[in-house]
């Protein structure tokens, strides 16, 4: 007999089915609690609520484990695959055969240009435009030029539009940078690999091609791989909520981009750099920074620290920390003062009972910004880089939600406002 959980409430005993995931996660299925018993659960930030069954990514937050389709994240670092292979894995559910990989890369290359009218969109943006606002708008804008993909009928169509979006987000990201710096646009080069091509579009000049160094290309590849998916985080959950209304892929990913923008999520990589820069410029010492983060009357947080799921060192942060050492040594910039400040902050936090007791460790955002900075990418573009990496994950999450054809995601609330109240006409208020 399958396992049941029992809830005893107000003299009633209610039974619920229990599900177990392939890695032993246990969940009580309370979906019939309201329809059958007019009762709700209260879980405001959904910390104890599974909203789907997923085969994409597995995380064990206590052990610091992260796997894409079952493959530990460390494998992608040590066996040097590329971001495109990881994207294919997330989308299709399996690593590509050589033929599948070639066909997918061809699709990316054929779709790296933006529709010509979209270039005008970028030419009229002010220098101060927030890059994440431009990125989200551009994602929705793409729907206007690919209307045949608003409804997806089969897997081939899905892989085609996925390749188009993954290819075009790189062109969009570079155009955002170029135009907000009043620089001329540089077209993609079909003979370059994904990361090298992006660096070329970011940094080449019409009269002088950017020379891509292998260390920088590898570091960018690594950053994108480490950001590719992270199961039901805030932006992926947003993508799913929007998808549950049967919204298309463009709209759902645009919403994910907006969710990522916030400083508690993807925007934390910007907040980390601002915090490190403030310390460097003498506005704050590392010790004061730790003190402020611990002060409950101060909204300041130690950015790049803590995670809803990881109660151990974020495995991505561990990999990026080592990558910083490697890349900085090769680039001979190991004396970046911000890296030394980051290390000092980490040392202080990891020996402080406030952080130890709450199991607050560095997350992916703590070291990613330092690497991006070493590539010459400006701070206000960091969250755009995160979005570029996360796009395959959002698309894979969207597909699961779409294919399940489930009910619209629509939580309930506990109403705590006024009871029925009379309307007071304006002249009597
Ligand atoms: N600095 C100081 N205190 C912290 C921090 C931090 N960075 N993170 C958590 N805490 C404290 C909380 O105040 C809380 O203390 P309390 O128990 O005394 O009330 C306790 O640790 C538990 O934290 P929660 O707020 O419950 O953690 P939650 O799961 O809601 O939030 C989050 C996770 C948003 C990541 C949080 O740790 C945070 O704000 N970190 C800084 C921002 C950041 O780095 N975000 C990036 C996350 S990774 C990503 O999205 C890619």
């Amino acid at each position: 007999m399958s396992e049941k959980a029992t809830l005893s409430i107000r003299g009633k005993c209610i039974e619920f089915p229990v599900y177990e995931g392939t890695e032993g996660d246990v969940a009580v299925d309370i979906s019939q609690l309201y329809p059958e018993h007019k009762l709700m659960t209260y879980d405001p930030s959904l910390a104890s609520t599974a909203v789907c069954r997923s085969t994409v990514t597995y995380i064990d937050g206590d052990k610091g484990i992260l796997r894409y389709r079952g493959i530990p994240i460390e494998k992608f670092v040590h066996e040097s695959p590329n971001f495109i292979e990881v994207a294919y894995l997330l989308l299709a559910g399996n690593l590509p055969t050589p033929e599948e990989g070639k066909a997918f890369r061809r699709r990316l290359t054929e779709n790296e240009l933006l529709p010509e009218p979209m270039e005008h969109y970028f030419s009229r943006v002010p220098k101060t435009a927030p890059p994440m606002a431009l990125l989200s708008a551009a994602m929705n804008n793409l729907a206007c030029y690919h209307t045949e993909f608003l409804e997806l009928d089969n897997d081939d169509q899905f892989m085609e539009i996925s390749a188009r979006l993954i290819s075009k987000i790189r062109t969009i990201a570079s155009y955002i940078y170029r135009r907000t710096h009043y620089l001329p646009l540089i077209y993609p080069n079909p003979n370059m690999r994904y990361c090298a091509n992006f660096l070329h579009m970011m940094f080449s000049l019409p009269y002088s091609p950017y020379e891509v160094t292998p260390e920088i290309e590898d570091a960018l590849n690594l950053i994108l791989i480490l950001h590719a998916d992270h199961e039901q985080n805030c932006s992926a959950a947003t993508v799913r909520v929007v998808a549950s209304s049967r919204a298309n892929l463009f709209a759902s990913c645009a919403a994910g981009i907006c969710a990522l923008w916030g400083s508690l999520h993807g925007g934390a990589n910007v907040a980390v750099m601002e915090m490190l820069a403030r310390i460097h410029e003498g506005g704050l010492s590392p010790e004061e920074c730790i003190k402020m983060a611990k002060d409950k009357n101060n909204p300041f947080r130690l950015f790049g620290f803590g995670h809803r799921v990881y109660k151990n060192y974020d495995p991505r942060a561990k990999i990026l920390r080592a990558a910083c050492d490697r890349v900085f040594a090769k680039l001979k910039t190991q004396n970046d003062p911000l890296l030394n400040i980051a290390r000092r902050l980490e040392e202080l936090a990891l020996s402080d009972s406030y952080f130890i007791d709450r199991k607050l460790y560095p997350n992916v955002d703590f070291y990613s910004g330092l690497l991006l900075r070493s590539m010459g990418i400006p701070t206000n573009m960091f969250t755009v880089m995160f979005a570029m990496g996360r796009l395959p994950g959002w698309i894979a999450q969207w597909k699961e939600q779409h294919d399940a054809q489930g009910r619209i995601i629509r939580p309930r609330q506990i109403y705590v406002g006024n009871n029925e109240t009379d309307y007071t006409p304006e002249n009597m208020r």
Side-chain angles (χ1 to χ4, degrees):
M1 207 179 76
S2 52
E3 191 182 353
K4 299 265 181 221
T6 311
L7 171 71
S8 167
I9 181 167
R10 298 185 173 187
K12 268 206 296 192
C13 245
I14 309 171
E15 282 201 330
F16 304 96
V18 173
Y19 297 133
E20 193 170 331
T22 46
E23 291 289 339
D25 292 329
V26 179
V28 179
D29 176 357
I30 52 122
S31 56
Q32 292 310 305
L33 189 62
Y34 193 86
E36 287 184 10
H37 306 283
K38 294 284 172 282
L39 287 169
M40 297 181 277
T41 55
Y42 181 58
D43 184 17
S45 56
L46 303 181
S48 304
T49 299
V51 292
C52 61
R53 295 169 186 234
S54 179
T55 61
V56 183
T57 292
Y58 173 72
I59 301 176
D60 183 327
D62 293 327
K63 295 192 186 136
I65 291 174
L66 169 61
R67 297 180 197 144
Y68 295 154
R69 301 283 187 186
I71 304 175
I73 192 80
E74 292 76 13
K75 295 276 179 198
F76 298 111
V77 179
H78 301 310
E79 293 179 24
S80 66
N82 59 53
F83 171 61
I84 296 311
E85 190 179 30
V86 170
Y88 186 97
L89 171 72
L90 291 169
L91 300 172
N94 55 276
L95 288 167
T97 61
E99 294 73 35
E100 287 168 337
K102 204 171 157 196
F104 189 59
R105 285 194 300 277
R106 192 181 321 113
R107 280 180 155 162
L108 286 161
T109 304
E110 283 166 1
N111 288 289
E112 55 194 11
L113 280 172
L114 294 186
E116 187 76 14
M118 268 188 82
E119 287 175 12
H120 300 301
Y121 161 74
F122 291 105
S123 66
R124 287 176 176 80
V125 297
K127 208 172 186 164
T128 49
M132 288 298 275
L134 297 175
L135 183 65
S136 170
M139 181 58 74
N140 254 329
N141 211 336
L142 282 175
C144 310
Y145 301 95
H146 300 279
T147 48
E148 70 276 31
F149 293 100
L150 291 177
E151 299 284 339
L152 299 184
D153 301 323
N154 57 59
D155 284 353
D156 189 60
Q157 218 187 1
F158 168 74
M159 288 308 275
E160 174 65 26
I161 187 58
S162 301
R164 288 193 191 189
L165 293 186
I166 292 169
S167 188
K168 288 184 195 308
I169 196 174
R170 165 188 55 172
T171 314
I172 292 170
S174 65
Y175 283 14
I176 289 172
Y177 167 74
R178 306 282 309 191
R179 284 310 196 200
T180 52
H181 287 75
Y182 298 156
L183 289 167
L185 299 182
I186 299 288
Y187 284 119
N189 178 341
N191 300 315
M192 288 179 132
R193 287 187 298 268
Y194 190 86
C195 292
N197 203 351
F198 171 72
L199 292 165
H200 154 70
M201 285 191 275
M202 285 287 283
F203 301 123
S204 284
L205 292 169
Y207 47 86
S208 154
Y210 172 80
E211 200 178 313
V212 180
T213 53
E215 291 79 23
I216 296 283
E217 188 184 351
D218 287 354
L220 179 57
N221 190 41
L222 178 68
I223 287 178
L224 297 182
I225 289 174
L226 294 179
H227 285 84
D229 192 51
H230 214 236
E231 50 118 302
Q232 304 315 311
N233 56 84
C234 179
S235 54
T238 302
V239 168
R240 279 189 181 260
V241 169
V242 178
S244 80
S245 76
R246 306 276 192 271
N248 60 67
L249 188 56
F250 307 91
S252 305
C253 289
I257 291 168
C258 291
L260 190 74
W261 193 353
S263 66
L264 294 190
H265 190 15
N269 54 17
V270 174
V272 170
M273 292 311 285
E274 285 168 354
M275 178 178 79
L276 299 180
R278 206 172 137 200
I279 295 174
H280 178 56
E281 283 152 17
L284 191 68
S285 71
E287 289 73 13
E288 281 166 341
C289 187
I290 295 287
K291 204 169 151 204
M292 269 167 63
K294 296 193 302 183
D295 180 359
K296 291 290 165 202
N297 296 316
N298 191 330
F300 178 82
R301 290 198 159 193
L302 184 59
F303 287 100
F305 258 73
H307 199 276
R308 171 62 58 81
V309 180
Y310 292 119
K311 301 303 168 198
N312 201 328
Y313 216 109
D314 179 335
R316 302 166 300 173
K318 212 181 267 179
I319 294 168
L320 287 176
R321 190 186 200 279
C324 274
D325 290 342
R326 246 186 358 258
V327 172
F328 281 39
K330 286 212 177 109
L331 296 179
K332 309 212 181 325
T333 50
Q334 63 268 53
N335 290 329
D336 182 341
L338 299 197
L339 178 61
N340 294 335
I341 293 169
R343 289 205 179 112
R344 176 74 186 134
L345 276 177
E346 180 181 344
E347 191 187 351
L348 287 172
L350 294 183
S351 57
D352 188 305
S353 62
Y354 175 94
F355 294 89
I356 295 169
D357 294 349
R358 290 169 178 76
K359 298 185 176 158
L360 303 172
Y361 292 87
N363 60 47
V364 68
D365 290 318
F366 198 65
Y367 285 107
S368 63
L370 288 162
L371 269 179
L372 291 170
R373 178 177 138 100
S374 74
M375 297 170 195
I377 292 170
T379 308
N380 73 343
M381 284 292 293
F382 287 2
T383 317
V384 171
M385 301 304 299
F386 191 149
M388 237 171 91
R390 183 55 56 86
L391 186 61
W394 287 332
I395 299 175
Q397 301 285 342
W398 180 92
K399 175 125 179 13
E400 270 193 348
Q401 189 68 35
H402 173 265
D403 289 356
Q405 290 288 303
R407 296 174 76 195
I408 191 167
I409 298 177
R410 202 304 188 183
R412 292 194 173 268
Q413 62 166 13
I414 302 174
Y415 177 69
V416 293
N418 290 337
N419 293 116
E420 186 172 337
T421 306
D422 268 347
Y423 173 79
T424 314
E426 193 177 27
N427 62 357
M428 296 178 65
R429 286 175 221 157

